[in-house]
Amino acid sequence: MVGVCLLLGFSLLASTLSLSPRETPSRELKELNGLWSFRADQSADRNRGFAEAWYRRPLRATGPVIDMPVPASYNDITQDHKLRDFIGWVWYEKEVWMPRHWISPDAGMRVVLNVGSANYYSIVWVNGAEVAFHEGGHLPFEADITKVIQKSSTRQCRITIAVNNTLTPYTLPPGKIQYMTDTKRYPPGYFVQITQFDFFNYAGIHRSVVLYTTPNVYIDDLTIITDFQKDTGIVNYNVSVQGSADFSLSLKLCDQTGLVVASAFDEPPIGQLRLHSPTLWWPYLMHENPAYLYSLEVYMKSKNGSICYEDVYTLPVGIRTVQVTKTQFLINGKPFYFHGVNKHEDSDIRGKGLDWPMIIKDFNLLRWLGANSFRTSHYPYAEEIMDLCDKYGIVVIDECPGVGIKDPLSFGNKSLAHHLTVMEELVHRDKNRPSVVMWSVANEPASGLPQANHYFKTIISYTRTLDPTRPVTFVTDTNYDVDKAVQYTDVICVNSYFSWYHDPGHLEVIPLQLANQFDNWYNKYQKPIIQSEYGADTLAGLHNDPPVMFSEEYQRALMQEYFMIFDERRKDYLIGELIWNFADFMTLQSTIRVNGNKKGIFTRQRQPKSSAFLLRDRYWKLANETKHIPLRHHAGGH
Ligand code: GCB
């Protein structure tokens, strides 16, 4: 039922990709965060909102509405369990005053509505006119709404966004709606959402909604690829302009004191800036002056008869390189060992909603821990988080929402095409970030299936064409002798839960099983390996010595067994260890989850379990060992 009404009857305006919204001398920005009107469509087929065209009038005129904060998941905001576990369409609406100069047809500007992310399908209307459709959470989408708002007789405009969290075998992540037809056990029309991933399928508008302006002729994309040779830094750029073929470009690279260190005037859209003695972008524990960001300003001028358009876009630029050898991961030519965490966007009340206090708390904890990296398990994180990784020098493995790809149905062409689109959107959003050093196209797919070969060969090679500068991986939990996809990766990322899901309670098996796991993978492929997950559920405050499962002692003991083998293999080809998980997080209700997954070294409220202190000792020891001496500000070349 829910599936049937998903996409009926719409002219699907797929949204296009552009540069992230930013305030610049030529662009204005207005945030629409705060309280929106909200209504879940509780009708049996979830189709009432469309049947009654709720987008045509104020939502409050269609029936009862409640206040809903944006950004936030809606699930944990009310006391209504039906909303917590709701599947189907929910409706958001906000009435906004447009600045007068935005709606004047002579203003020569565009007004764009940008949604940072909404889970999962979204349809957007402005004053009742459909302006955008987007499939997929965790990534932004937008619509040029200039024409629609110029048509309006008032400056007030009504933005309606319908969001549907239904997952099918063809979505990313995949899922399935199961209809329970046994009328002796279930009420009529009963259905549940089945998923194959271990986090709560939070839904709603998860990131900021903004309006921003650009001139009618505008910079719509910018790709930066950096390098250095001897004492010269190289910033290759590729600028794309929309609205006119007749424009001129100037670029200016400034250092942190505002000094112009390289510039180009009246240049073609593809070119190169060179600067002497660059300060490279280094991860924060690798250098005494880490995470150095230059500021690149792109200035575009276009003359159209008597009208002159000017657009300015600025972007932080970190100059760094990434390479992979058979045994090492190199940043700026120096070996980098990932000692980090896996995270989730997850917290009390907000679910997956962007929350500044939580973001800053998490970065403070990461640095307290001495973690130099994290993986965006299991979906792209907010741009605000990624900006801070660039700024603080935290290295990121950027993962797409390809989690739980298990059903053979999810390996077909329809899924593949969508997965490629998602990689395009992700690479487009994060390609210029120095902190992003590798793409992960999936987590724990059924990579032993014969179909996995073609599927992952296609996705991984396509991702390389989108970005030839970064290695590509996916995260496997399949046995090395049946996996069909690791052959295509640059780095092997492997998850294992020895003495947890396998041999529960038997810590003593870890060294042998872990050593074998590493050697088997390395001997087969001769590629560097990251232990991308390991861990144990732990109830904060539960103690048992000798250690038993779920106690704080067990989590520590398990980690220590892993550390022993990590230290041995670090000398060879192991290039990283990422604990599962940074913090406890919410999952679907099940008999193996006590109010969520408890493998965090911090609780969901970000208080440390005793394992956090153990990991902190280790990470700071590793940081001191792997620091590069002599510490220098300037590039020494490869
Ligand atoms: C895994 C998954 C992760 C789960 C974790 C667990 O292998 O990648 O999403 O949460 O195990 O705790 O079961």
Side-chain angles (χ1 to χ4, degrees):
M1 245 179 302
V2 176
V4 174
C5 79
L6 255 181
L7 304 175
L8 279 185
F10 302 102
S11 58
L12 301 182
L13 294 170
S15 75
T16 49
L17 305 167
S18 196
L19 288 166
S20 300
R22 258 176 215 283
E23 226 169 356
T24 76
S26 58
R27 295 171 176 226
E28 292 171 64
L29 189 142
K30 186 176 159 92
E31 264 195 8
L32 305 184
N33 296 343
L35 293 185
W36 288 51
S37 297
F38 177 91
R39 184 174 181 194
D41 185 342
Q42 301 276 7
S43 62
D45 65 359
R46 306 294 196 247
N47 204 27
R48 188 165 159 203
F50 295 106
E52 297 179 358
W54 288 356
Y55 47 88
R56 288 231 181 96
R57 49 204 167 122
L59 201 55
R60 62 182 176 277
T62 69
V65 294
I66 58 172
D67 285 333
M68 187 57 69
V70 169
S73 301
Y74 59 71
N75 309 75
D76 292 344
I77 299 292
T78 74
Q79 299 309 101
D80 181 358
H81 80 90
K82 282 208 300 232
L83 186 58
R84 182 175 192 271
D85 296 324
F86 184 79
I87 305 162
W89 290 105
V90 299
W91 293 72
Y92 286 80
E93 181 207 77
K94 180 131 186 128
E95 285 169 341
V96 186
W97 287 97
M98 292 287 164
R100 199 179 303 278
H101 63 286
W102 287 17
I103 52 174
S104 144
D106 320 319
M109 64 162 71
R110 302 158 64 239
V111 178
V112 182
L113 174 67
N114 181 290
V115 180
S117 97
N119 211 13
Y120 178 85
Y121 292 95
S122 311
I123 304 174
V124 184
W125 296 262
V126 173
N127 294 339
E130 188 190 332
V131 294
F133 166 81
H134 186 255
E135 173 177 355
H138 320 288
L139 285 165
F141 57 93
E142 63 181 28
D144 182 336
I145 63 167
T146 319
K147 288 211 174 79
V148 181
I149 59 171
Q150 281 176 357
K151 258 197 236 150
S152 167
S153 52
T154 82
R155 278 173 50 217
Q156 200 178 32
C157 108
R158 199 178 66 250
I159 298 171
T160 314
I161 307 183
V163 183
N164 189 322
N165 58 351
T166 308
L167 300 177
T168 76
Y170 315 108
T171 56
L172 212 62
K176 200 166 27 189
I177 295 291
Q178 191 161 322
Y179 296 95
M180 308 306 220
T181 49
D182 180 349
T183 50
K184 292 203 188 73
R185 297 174 64 204
Y186 304 101
Y190 196 76
F191 58 83
V192 291
Q193 171 81 72
I194 310 283
T195 52
Q196 301 272 6
F197 53 81
D198 184 35
F199 54 90
F200 192 81
N201 188 30
Y202 278 112
I205 303 179
H206 284 155
R207 298 180 192 154
S208 295
V209 181
V210 302
L211 290 168
Y212 71 94
T213 64
T214 76
N216 278 344
V217 182
Y218 62 99
I219 302 163
D220 104 302
D221 196 12
L222 176 56
T223 307
I224 298 299
I225 296 177
T226 64
D227 199 356
F228 58 91
Q229 281 159 5
K230 298 225 171 62
D231 222 10
T232 303
I234 300 169
V235 177
N236 295 294
Y237 60 84
N238 187 344
V239 184
S240 141
V241 169
Q242 288 287 329
S244 169
D246 184 14
F247 57 85
S248 74
L249 287 173
S250 301
L251 294 95
K252 212 163 68 176
L253 191 70
C254 296
D255 70 11
Q256 283 181 1
T257 66
L259 197 75
V260 179
V261 291
S263 56
F265 294 100
D266 217 358
E267 291 293 321
I270 298 178
Q272 189 176 77
L273 296 173
R274 297 173 80 89
L275 65 155
H276 185 63
S277 280
T279 305
L280 299 184
W281 186 95
W282 289 95
Y284 82 105
L285 293 169
M286 233 171 146
H287 200 272
E288 62 188 9
N289 182 21
Y292 194 91
L293 293 173
Y294 292 90
S295 172
L296 178 69
E297 184 185 289
V298 183
Y299 171 80
M300 186 278 319
K301 194 169 175 179
S302 172
K303 251 195 141 174
N304 186 352
S306 60
I307 310 178
C308 178
Y309 296 101
E310 291 178 304
D311 193 17
V312 182
Y313 196 82
T314 48
L315 187 75
V317 169
I319 301 177
R320 62 108 185 87
T321 60
V322 172
Q323 286 155 305
V324 173
T325 71
K326 275 186 178 178
T327 56
Q328 289 182 318
F329 197 95
L330 304 176
I331 297 184
N332 299 335
K334 302 272 162 56
F336 177 76
Y337 186 78
F338 296 79
H339 44 89
V341 303
N342 293 276
K343 290 187 89 260
H344 265 299
E345 286 181 325
D346 175 270
S347 65
D348 286 332
I349 320 284
R350 294 135 185 84
K352 292 203 176 306
L354 179 115
D355 182 59
W356 276 114
M358 206 54 157
I359 289 175
I360 297 300
K361 179 72 177 175
D362 281 6
F363 275 103
N364 288 336
L365 287 175
L366 285 171
R367 291 178 295 183
W368 174 86
L369 206 57
N372 63 3
S373 51
F374 65 80
R375 170 166 69 119
T376 68
S377 44
H378 292 308
Y379 39 79
Y381 293 176
E383 288 180 77
E384 289 82 345
I385 296 175
M386 305 302 282
D387 286 345
L388 291 175
C389 291
D390 290 339
K391 181 172 170 190
Y392 297 157
I394 305 232
V395 168
V396 180
I397 300 172
D398 206 353
E399 187 159 280
C400 89
V403 54
I405 308 177
K406 308 275 190 195
D407 186 330
L409 271 180
S410 303
F411 285 85
N413 285 341
K414 186 171 171 184
S415 299
L416 184 57
H418 178 58
H419 204 147
L420 297 179
T421 305
V422 173
M423 287 315 301
E424 279 170 18
E425 292 182 14
L426 175 60
V427 173
H428 182 270
R429 194 194 73 162
D430 288 347
K431 64 188 169 187
N432 294 326
R433 299 184 174 284
S435 59
V436 173
V437 299
M438 181 153 65
W439 306 110
S440 164
V441 302
N443 179 70
E444 297 188 352
S447 51
L449 290 177
Q451 302 89 309
N453 191 324
H454 170 71
Y455 189 91
F456 283 101
K457 184 179 179 186
T458 310
I459 289 176
I460 291 172
S461 61
Y462 185 63
T463 306
R464 281 201 192 98
T465 64
L466 294 171
D467 176 11
T469 72
R470 289 179 180 86
V472 186
T473 191
F474 79 96
V475 173
T476 188
D477 67 338
T478 303
N479 198 283
Y480 78 101
D481 58 357
V482 290
D483 181 281
K484 305 280 188 295
V486 164
Q487 57 176 317
Y488 301 115
T489 64
D490 296 304
V491 169
I492 301 173
C493 287
V494 50
N495 293 349
S496 50
Y497 285 91
F498 303 127
S499 98
W500 190 259
Y501 293 122
H502 311 278
D503 305 299
H506 294 281
L507 293 166
E508 59 284 358
V509 304
I510 294 174
L512 179 67
Q513 295 188 2
L514 185 61
N516 282 339
Q517 165 202 282
F518 285 144
D519 292 343
N520 287 336
W521 280 111
Y522 189 76
N523 292 339
K524 186 157 181 189
Y525 291 112
Q526 278 93 54
K527 293 177 189 180
I529 304 180
I530 295 176
Q531 180 75 35
S532 39
E533 284 182 29
Y534 69 104
D537 281 273
T538 307
L539 291 178
L542 180 70
H543 292 286
N544 214 101
D545 190 27
V548 297
M549 291 174 77
F550 297 99
S551 68
E552 295 205 21
E553 287 73 15
Y554 193 88
Q555 188 181 33
R556 288 175 62 107
L558 179 141
M559 286 161 65
Q560 274 163 327
E561 298 291 333
Y562 269 81
F563 294 166
M564 231 162 47
I565 304 301
F566 290 163
D567 283 335
E568 279 181 26
R569 294 304 184 275
R570 248 185 336 119
K571 299 182 195 107
D572 307 324
Y573 48 72
L574 186 71
I575 57 162
E577 53 188 87
L578 306 175
I579 188 91
W580 191 263
N581 188 285
F582 173 74
D584 294 346
F585 58 92
M586 194 44 69
T587 63
L588 201 69
Q589 299 183 61
S590 93
T591 47
I592 58 159
R593 295 286 176 255
V594 186
N595 198 23
N597 187 308
K598 294 283 189 279
K599 294 195 185 69
I601 56 164
F602 297 101
T603 63
R604 200 182 193 208
Q605 295 72 33
R606 277 43 178 187
Q607 297 307 320
K609 301 178 190 173
S610 58
S611 55
F613 296 95
L614 177 71
L615 201 64
R616 181 177 192 230
D617 285 348
R618 175 171 177 80
Y619 281 2
W620 280 105
K621 206 168 118 248
L622 285 171
N624 287 328
E625 269 175 37
T626 54
K627 219 178 232 165
H628 293 285
I629 300 171
L631 293 173
R632 294 189 309 163
H633 284 281
H634 299 304
H638 288 282

